[in-house]
Amino acid sequence: MFWKIRAEYYRRINVRLTLIVTLAAAVSSIVVYALLLASLFIGFGDQDRGELDSRLLSYWAAWQYGGNDAVLNRASLDMKEYGGRPYLLMLDSEDGEMLGALIPGGWEQFNLKDPDLTNLTPGSYATLRAESLPYALLLTGVVLDDGTRLLVGLSTENHQFLVRMYQRNYPWALGAIILAGVLVGIISSRRLLSPIVRLNQEIDHIIITGDLGRRLDSSGTGDQLDGLINRYNRLLDRVESLIGGMKDTLDAVAHDLRTPLTRLRGHAELALGKGDAEEYEEALATVVEQTDQAGALLSALMDIAEAEQGMLSLEGVSCNLSTLAAEVSDMYELIAEEKGQRLTLEAPNEVLLSGDPVRLRQILGNLVDNALKYSPEGSCIDIRCGFSDETSWAEIIDDGPGVPEEETERVFERLYRGDRSRGSRGLGLGLSMVKALVEAHSGSVEISKVEGRGASFKVVFPRISEENISKA
């Protein structure tokens, strides 16, 4: 149980952040401690060697002017005038006999007759240690012209005292640093993770209540956590839009399937009531027709819903709108002839854009079919293509009754049928499909009234140049 609780505790991000901050502070303090300690040892050593070299040269010069007595007098005078750190001075004859010395109290415990001392020269040093003393003695020396050996020494007592104080107090400093690291880690982790905590709370609220209208306020800092909140809000916008589109689609499907299903049931019941083989055959034919109509309705509604929500799979290739318009014109030419209508095509050689050629044909086909449906016999439907610096466009102009101004926005609604189209065939989804597919291609649809003619439906797309095509 204990290990499970501890594992659960360590999985929390704020605990891990606190531990990381504390560990980083402790490791940094240890590194700084080690560097400072090394700097102290190096600095104290350089200082001691410099002072020894200075005293050695001073007494060497005094010996050259006045011999051993001058050295001892100079040393005594230095002690009286300057005081300071105690130091050792020894003058030994060539055979090891002591000719004179200044030895501070207690330093007799060092082995001043160590054979290694006989080999000292300016710039070389020896260190003596005594078991009963906590410090060492650093010495240097020189052999004078008459064979006398001059030794100068300093103790490391003061320096080692400072080092020991530093070492003794460091654990307290380390403890304070760790405590400060824990406090800083707790405070900073709470501040840093507060957006994530709020995000989790909002997600829990949405899961429980299903309310997709709630949004998190951005802190405005512009950091990664602020970006996470903004992305979360955009994700909710997208999810809310998708769910709204699904609800609208389901409502439309439920509404419009009711009519063909009712017809199916009515025809079946009528045929069963009469019990006539001919009636059965006619009822089955009607059932097949109504089933096809229901399937077409479902397919169109799903395509529109996917296009509106940005979920429709489009093949983005280079297309020539003029070529697509010519293919659509050829496809509907026979239908136009049956109604005594004419299709005219006005298009330059190349009107380039990037899009899905199948869906672009569907856009143009729906617009041409709509124009043929609402134009009288003997009328003319014009198909025009063109481009500007930034756009490629196609326009369908008919001789029909046009679109009333109050209906120009509503004609693109799913299943909407205006007053002038009540008796015409169709599902009421053609223009909805056009608008959804055009917007899926980052384009727009415009409706206008042409003087002396009927309605004009113009679809506009972003244009790509031949240079961009060659690069692609």
Side-chain angles (χ1 to χ4, degrees):
M1 184 67 180
F2 169 76
W3 296 106
K4 184 177 180 181
I5 294 175
R6 193 179 73 166
E8 181 68 26
Y9 186 73
Y10 285 147
R11 276 199 292 267
R12 297 179 181 178
I13 296 178
N14 59 334
V15 174
R16 291 198 297 245
L17 283 176
T18 301
L19 291 176
I20 290 172
V21 171
T22 304
L23 182 62
V27 171
S28 300
S29 70
I30 292 173
V31 172
V32 171
Y33 165 77
L35 292 175
L36 287 177
L37 192 60
S39 299
L40 285 176
F41 279 116
I42 294 173
F44 287 157
D46 291 342
Q47 182 181 356
D48 288 344
R49 287 188 289 271
E51 186 172 350
L52 283 176
D53 290 341
S54 176
R55 287 183 182 274
L56 181 64
L57 290 175
S58 175
Y59 298 145
W60 191 0
W63 181 85
Q64 289 177 342
Y65 282 103
N68 295 341
D69 292 337
V71 173
L72 295 173
N73 290 336
R74 176 63 182 272
S76 298
L77 182 63
D78 287 346
M79 291 290 291
K80 291 177 182 179
E81 291 185 358
Y82 304 109
R85 294 176 62 188
Y87 67 94
L88 177 141
L89 174 65
M90 290 179 56
L91 286 168
D92 292 343
S93 63
E94 190 174 359
D95 56 3
E97 180 184 357
M98 185 179 293
L99 302 177
L102 291 177
I103 302 176
W107 287 18
E108 298 88 353
Q109 299 181 50
F110 293 107
N111 183 15
L112 299 176
K113 296 299 183 179
D114 193 312
D116 292 339
L117 301 180
T118 59
N119 300 320
L120 290 176
T121 58
S124 64
Y125 309 92
T127 302
L128 298 180
R129 300 183 184 278
E131 293 182 0
S132 59
L133 296 176
Y135 53 89
L137 185 63
L138 183 66
L139 300 102
T140 187
V142 63
V143 178
L144 303 175
D145 294 341
D146 61 354
T148 302
R149 188 176 71 233
L150 172 62
L151 293 177
V152 180
L154 290 171
S155 78
T156 60
E157 182 178 7
N158 293 340
H159 296 162
Q160 289 189 348
F161 174 76
L162 293 174
V163 170
R164 284 195 299 272
M165 284 187 59
Y166 180 63
Q167 292 174 328
R168 188 166 52 247
N169 293 326
Y170 173 72
W172 296 99
L174 179 60
I177 291 172
I178 291 175
L179 179 60
V182 171
L183 293 176
V184 171
I186 292 173
I187 295 172
S188 60
S189 63
R190 285 184 177 178
R191 290 179 62 87
L192 288 173
L193 296 177
S194 59
I196 297 179
V197 172
R198 290 191 293 123
L199 183 61
N200 286 332
Q201 291 173 347
E202 288 297 320
I203 292 174
D204 290 340
H205 177 83
I206 292 173
I207 292 174
I208 295 172
T209 64
D211 180 13
L212 294 175
R214 293 171 64 96
R215 299 293 183 270
L216 282 174
D217 293 331
S218 173
S219 61
T221 58
D223 57 15
Q224 288 87 346
L225 291 176
D226 192 45
L228 176 63
I229 290 176
N230 291 330
R231 289 185 179 89
Y232 167 76
N233 289 335
R234 292 201 300 270
L235 176 63
L236 279 185
D237 292 338
R238 180 66 171 160
V239 170
E240 191 174 19
S241 175
L242 288 173
I243 292 179
M246 290 173 59
K247 289 180 178 178
D248 292 342
T249 302
L250 289 174
D251 291 342
V253 169
H255 176 271
D256 274 77
L257 280 181
R258 188 178 296 113
T259 299
L261 290 176
T262 302
R263 290 177 181 172
L264 286 174
R265 181 179 179 85
H267 283 289
E269 289 179 348
L270 183 63
L272 288 174
K274 292 185 177 181
D276 187 1
E278 186 177 343
E279 291 292 336
Y280 288 160
E281 184 177 348
E282 183 179 349
L284 287 174
T286 304
V287 167
V288 171
E289 181 182 354
Q290 294 293 327
T291 303
D292 291 341
Q293 184 178 0
L297 174 65
L298 281 173
S299 178
L301 285 173
M302 294 305 298
D303 284 347
I304 293 172
E306 289 182 358
E308 288 179 344
Q309 303 306 323
M311 300 171 61
L312 186 64
S313 177
L314 296 176
E315 181 184 5
V317 298
S318 172
C319 302
N320 185 352
L321 199 57
S322 296
T323 302
L324 298 177
E327 293 173 357
V328 170
S329 177
D330 292 341
M331 183 169 56
Y332 280 92
E333 187 172 3
L334 183 60
I335 298 175
E337 289 178 355
E338 291 178 353
K339 293 185 62 176
Q341 297 169 327
R342 290 185 301 110
L343 289 176
T344 64
L345 176 65
E346 299 178 18
N349 292 332
E350 289 190 338
V351 179
L352 303 176
L353 74 157
S354 176
D356 188 323
V358 174
R359 295 300 183 178
L360 291 172
R361 288 191 197 93
Q362 188 175 0
I363 292 170
L364 296 176
N366 281 3
L367 291 176
V368 172
D369 182 75
N370 193 70
L372 291 172
K373 187 188 306 179
Y374 295 112
S375 296
E377 293 185 6
S379 61
C380 180
I381 289 88
D382 297 333
I383 305 174
R384 300 175 182 175
C385 296
F387 60 87
S388 63
D389 292 339
E390 298 181 353
T391 62
S392 297
W393 53 268
E395 184 179 21
I396 313 298
I397 303 175
D398 60 38
D399 290 329
V403 180
E405 186 175 350
E406 63 272 12
E407 294 184 6
T408 53
E409 294 296 330
R410 298 203 62 192
V411 292
F412 294 109
E413 296 178 4
R414 279 176 285 191
L415 309 170
Y416 177 78
R417 299 173 71 85
D419 293 335
R420 302 182 183 183
S421 59
R422 296 292 182 186
S424 61
R425 61 181 174 82
L427 302 174
L429 293 174
L431 293 181
S432 299
M433 179 72 76
V434 168
K435 185 174 187 294
L437 292 177
V438 169
E439 291 180 350
H441 284 82
S442 301
S444 61
V445 187
E446 303 170 1
I447 303 178
S448 60
K449 172 69 176 176
V450 179
E451 190 67 29
R453 303 284 304 272
S456 166
F457 287 83
K458 186 175 183 180
V459 291
V460 183
F461 305 96
R463 181 172 181 261
I464 59 172
S465 62
E466 295 184 13
E467 181 181 355
N468 291 335
I469 293 176
S470 61
K471 288 181 180 180

